[in-house]
Each structure stands twice: as structure tokens, then as C-alpha cells.
Amino acid sequence: MKVVVEGCCHGELDQIYDVIGQLQEREGVTVDLLICCGDFQAVRDRTDLDSMAVPLKYREMGSFYKYYSGEKTAPVLTIFIGGNHEASNHLWELSYGGWVAPRIFYLGRAGVVRCGGLRIAGLSGIYKEGDYRKGTFERPSFSEGTKRSVYHVRSCDVFRLKQMEAESLGSPAAMELLQHLSPDYWFSAHLHVKFAAVYHHDDGDESGVRITKFLALDKCLPGRRYLQVLDIDTPSPPPYKLCYDAEWLAILRSTEHLMSYSRLLWLPPHPSTDSRLSYTPTSEEVDEVKTLFHGNLVIPDNFTSQQHNSSLPENRQTAVFCATLGISNPFSTNFSSTRMSLGSPGNSLCGNISSAEVSLNPDEIDLGDDSDENEEEEPGRHGDTSELTKEISAAPNTSTPDRKRYPGLMKTHQAKSKTSLVPVKRVHQLSSWTTNRTKCR
């Protein structure tokens, strides 16, 4: 499977798809899947810009609206996670994931899907210590504070992801998941740099040291290394369909009662209050989920564009998904509810937190950085695949592309062969994506 990984999108869908088209034509390959690692900016119209936490001079429509309206169709199956510059009211409607346009799928606040035998997990947003242990209390319409806190990673989402079987950086939450799940690949964005490394896990088995190949990519700008192509062996042949992961669905269902929609601090299960501490799904729970979906885990192509405004219309995809799985729909959830959180009535350890105390994160990347203003586009450079980092696997007995023609080309190798990335013991980089090669069940 040819998988293209892209860094920060910043609404440049037209440009990204154009570059992929050039790459396919020049190299004679077919790209099967595009993964975007954040700042996707799924802006449907100008009202969505009000919920995007960026300086006014960066509030641009981008090109996503063309794919939402049907003016254009994505040429490649695309999945993405959210970053810290998003149309938050749009993504909030799809907290559990869903189609934002035909062939473009949002993975939700946290989510796991399967495609061609790959298990792909994602964690949207960025880490901020002050919000990490709160419930998911934000709800449109957003204030200046909540339009930022809504994209901060929450410990309850990390807890859910940690219940996955471990087949599958500056961010402590992401590092915790990396160490727990030990995925084959980890893709990242946000810091606007290209950085490759190998993470060596301490508990390697007898067959050798277990590693995770880590890759962070830049944002979509002229001359920047924001795109990489991986050739990953998969047990399933094309065409590839996007499927729900049965174990992840079972986890969402079994942990529903643990979730909090309050500003108070969220508490994970504890021996003193909970009879069950691990929610790694049993075979019975997985079978129950499969029954609910009538044995068909292919994600339905049920995208429809719909009117949206401040009255908070219900998203049809979210309504159907929640009803089928038997979990709460965010549109009808009582956002004052909480599960035995610190700061609940009678608990003096922590009081409620007012909206005025929601602070900006000093570690976040500001789109208003002066360096962005000084980046000028060079004619003919935007979209030139010769300036991109590419990692395309050559067919047996076939020579690799000419380096003189493509000066930005990285060394070609099979995904299973010895990596050419730099080995390190620990990676401190904001991380968001994991992939594993597994057989779909």
C-alpha cells in the first residue's frame, strides 16, 4: 500500500492533491491513502472561521470548502486528525469521527480505524497540562478561551487509547501512548519541522529489539519538506475501504460511563471506587459490537452537507453512530454532568474552574509568528515534487528514480527493510498518529 503522510495542512488541500498527482504521474505509482497530521482546517464557509483560533490575518477559507460543497472530489482516500488551528465547531460535530466530505475522514478527538489491514490510531489536538485532566466540557458557540481549550488533549481520550491491545514528543500524553502501544510507525506534525527517528522500546522480545519509526513533517509551504510516501506491506489487496475497528468500538461502549463533560478534573478507574480497572475488550464485548453493526464494519459513505449555525444542529453521522453503538450523543449530553471528579460537591481538593481561568498555552505554535510573514512563494516552486522528501519503494530489479532529476529524494527502501532513520533512545516531539500492520477481523 502506498501511503502518503503530510504534515500541517493549513487548508491547502488543492496544493497537496496536485503534488500527489504530479508524484503519481512522474513515478508511475498509485497512492492509496493520504494521512494528514493536523491543522487540517475543514472550513465550510466564513462562519466556521469564527471558531478557528488564529490571528485575523490568517483567517482564510483555504480550499476545503470545494470538497465539502461537491465542487471537487478528493482524488485519494484521506484521513486526518485535528491540530490547534481548526474549524472547531465543525470538528466538534464529529467528536467520534466521520466524513467531512466524500473520501475525507476525520478520526475524531481520538479514534482507531482499519484500512487494507492497517490499524490506524489518531489523537487530535495538542497537549496542555492545565486542561489535560479536565472533562470534555467545551460546546459551541465557543468563547475565546474554549475555542482554544477544545483542541487540548484530554486524559480520558488517552485512557481509552491505552486500552487497545499493544499491537498497534514534547507531548507527555503522546509519549505515554507510544511506550504503551509500541506501534510500527508514528507520524506527527505541529512544530513545522521535518524530523525522523527510531524509538527503541525497552521490552524487546527474543526476536530482537522492538522499534517505532517516528516521522514529523513540516507544513505545506514552498520548498518545505511536508510530504513523504511510504510503501507498507498489507495483508489485504486493493481497493481499500475504511473500516471501524471492533476493539475500539467496544472500548468506546464499555467506557461510556467513565466519561466526564465537566470542567472538573477527570479521574481514571481506581481500586477504591471501581470494580473494573482495565477496559481492554474481551472477545464477548468485541462480538457484541460486531452484532450491533450486523457484522459489517465498513464505514458507510453517509456524508451529507447540511446547514449549520449557532443553534447547534445535530450531525446526522454522529447521531447514527451513537445510536448504533448505544453511547451518548454529544449534541444531547448534559454538559454539567461529571463522573466522581475532583472538585465535585463536598470535595475540597479542587474547586470548579471558571472560564476566565482558561489560559493560552505558551508552548503552542503561533501562526502569527514573524517567520511565517517572511516566507515568500517562489514562482514554480509550490508543488514541485523535486523539492519534496519522498520515500518510494522500488519494484524488484528496478532502479530507483534519478537523484539528479529529483534532488530532494530520500534513499529508497522497502518498509520492512533496515531503516535509514536516525536511531535515538527517546523522542521529544509532539506526536499524534500510530499505525500497525494487522489483519482485519
Side-chain angles (χ1 to χ4, degrees):
M1 176 188 284
K2 288 287 191 300
V3 180
V4 171
V5 183
E6 192 275 331
C8 293
C9 176
H10 290 296
E12 298 285 355
L13 266 185
D14 278 352
Q15 177 59 38
I16 292 167
Y17 288 142
D18 285 347
V19 171
I20 291 175
Q22 292 179 39
L23 187 150
Q24 292 182 122
E25 182 178 352
R26 292 186 183 185
E27 305 298 338
V29 299
T30 299
V31 172
D32 301 300
L33 178 66
L34 168 64
I35 294 177
C36 295
C37 297
D39 284 356
F40 189 81
Q41 297 183 7
V43 178
R44 298 166 290 188
D45 56 34
R46 294 197 175 277
T47 61
D48 279 348
L49 294 175
D50 293 335
S51 68
M52 193 161 68
V54 295
L56 285 174
K57 62 182 178 179
Y58 289 108
R59 289 190 182 181
E60 300 177 350
M61 284 293 296
S63 54
F64 167 77
Y65 72 92
K66 301 174 186 177
Y67 300 88
Y68 180 81
S69 65
E71 177 183 341
K72 290 187 174 183
T73 301
V76 178
L77 177 61
T78 303
I79 58 178
F80 73 96
I81 53 172
N84 63 320
H85 301 113
E86 302 289 358
S88 294
N89 59 333
H90 187 189
L91 299 191
W92 185 91
E93 295 178 11
L94 296 165
S95 299
Y96 292 110
W99 302 103
V100 296
R103 304 195 76 195
I104 304 177
F105 190 84
Y106 170 51
L107 209 51
R109 291 185 60 93
V112 184
V113 295
R114 291 179 182 256
C115 184
L118 294 179
R119 169 182 272 181
I120 305 172
L123 180 64
S124 291
I126 64 172
Y127 177 81
K128 181 185 177 184
E129 184 178 4
D131 289 327
Y132 181 59
R133 298 196 180 280
K134 294 178 185 177
T136 53
F137 64 87
E138 295 86 355
R139 182 182 181 91
S141 56
F142 299 111
S143 66
E144 286 301 311
T146 57
K147 74 166 60 171
R148 290 169 172 80
S149 66
V150 71
Y151 56 68
H152 292 153
V153 172
R154 301 302 158 88
S155 58
C156 55
D157 293 323
V158 173
F159 173 81
R160 278 176 154 173
L161 284 171
K162 286 182 66 177
Q163 307 312 303
M164 301 293 295
E165 288 290 349
E167 57 173 325
S168 71
L169 259 121
S171 170
M175 179 58 74
E176 184 178 353
L177 285 174
L178 185 149
Q179 293 171 338
H180 182 79
L181 297 178
S182 305
D184 292 336
Y185 297 90
W186 192 286
F187 305 129
S188 167
H190 178 59
L191 295 183
H192 299 168
V193 294
K194 180 183 181 297
F195 177 75
V198 172
Y199 182 92
H200 291 256
H201 297 274
D202 295 328
D203 54 345
D205 54 28
E206 295 179 356
S207 62
V209 178
R210 293 190 303 114
I211 64 171
T212 293
K213 296 177 183 179
F214 175 92
L215 176 66
L217 292 168
D218 208 332
K219 62 179 175 179
C220 182
L221 280 177
R224 305 284 277 268
R225 299 192 171 206
Y226 62 88
L227 207 67
Q228 183 123 359
V229 182
L230 301 176
D231 192 19
I232 303 177
D233 292 336
T234 60
S236 303
Y240 301 109
K241 290 184 176 294
L242 210 57
C243 300
Y244 292 120
D245 184 276
E247 290 183 21
W248 176 247
L249 297 182
I251 291 167
L252 292 180
R253 193 163 183 256
S254 65
T255 58
E256 165 69 12
H257 67 290
L258 300 177
M259 295 300 103
S260 169
Y261 304 98
S262 163
R263 294 177 181 270
L264 305 180
L265 300 188
W266 179 80
L267 294 177
H270 189 272
S272 64
T273 57
D274 298 273
S275 58
R276 181 176 181 179
L277 302 182
S278 171
Y279 284 83
T280 297
T282 64
S283 58
E284 291 79 11
E285 289 172 325
V286 172
D287 289 341
E288 287 176 8
V289 163
K290 291 179 179 179
T291 300
L292 292 175
F293 284 79
H294 305 290
N296 182 13
L297 295 180
V298 175
I299 300 176
D301 295 325
N302 58 352
F303 167 80
T304 56
S305 59
Q306 59 187 74
Q307 296 294 323
H308 57 281
N309 51 48
S310 58
S311 63
L312 199 63
E314 183 175 69
N315 186 287
R316 298 184 186 93
Q317 291 183 73
T318 299
V320 171
F321 177 81
C322 292
T324 303
L325 194 57
I327 60 177
S328 300
N329 185 339
F331 288 88
S332 57
T333 299
N334 178 4
F335 271 54
S336 63
S337 66
T338 182
R339 171 198 176 267
M340 293 187 65
S341 301
L342 281 172
S344 55
N347 190 329
S348 61
L349 294 178
C350 177
N352 206 338
I353 302 171
S354 68
S355 59
E357 294 178 69
V358 178
S359 59
L360 303 184
N361 185 359
D363 297 324
E364 292 175 17
I365 299 298
D366 183 4
L367 277 183
D369 192 287
D370 291 339
S371 63
D372 284 346
E373 296 182 35
N374 296 329
E375 290 169 339
E376 297 184 3
E377 187 171 322
E378 298 180 29
R381 289 283 302 281
H382 211 353
D384 185 353
T385 54
S386 67
E387 296 298 328
L388 299 176
T389 300
K390 297 178 289 184
E391 188 176 310
I392 304 176
S393 197
N397 303 318
T398 302
S399 60
T400 60
D402 187 351
R403 283 176 169 270
K404 292 182 179 179
R405 290 179 58 205
Y406 309 117
L409 188 64
M410 283 186 66
K411 182 178 180 181
T412 299
H413 66 275
Q414 292 283 353
K416 281 190 172 181
S417 67
K418 183 177 180 180
T419 179
S420 60
L421 305 181
V422 180
V424 295
K425 181 61 179 177
R426 292 289 183 265
V427 179
H428 295 288
Q429 179 84 10
L430 185 71
S431 311
S432 308
W433 280 99
T434 72
T435 67
N436 277 91
R437 291 166 294 209
T438 61
K439 293 183 179 180
C440 287
R441 282 175 270 182

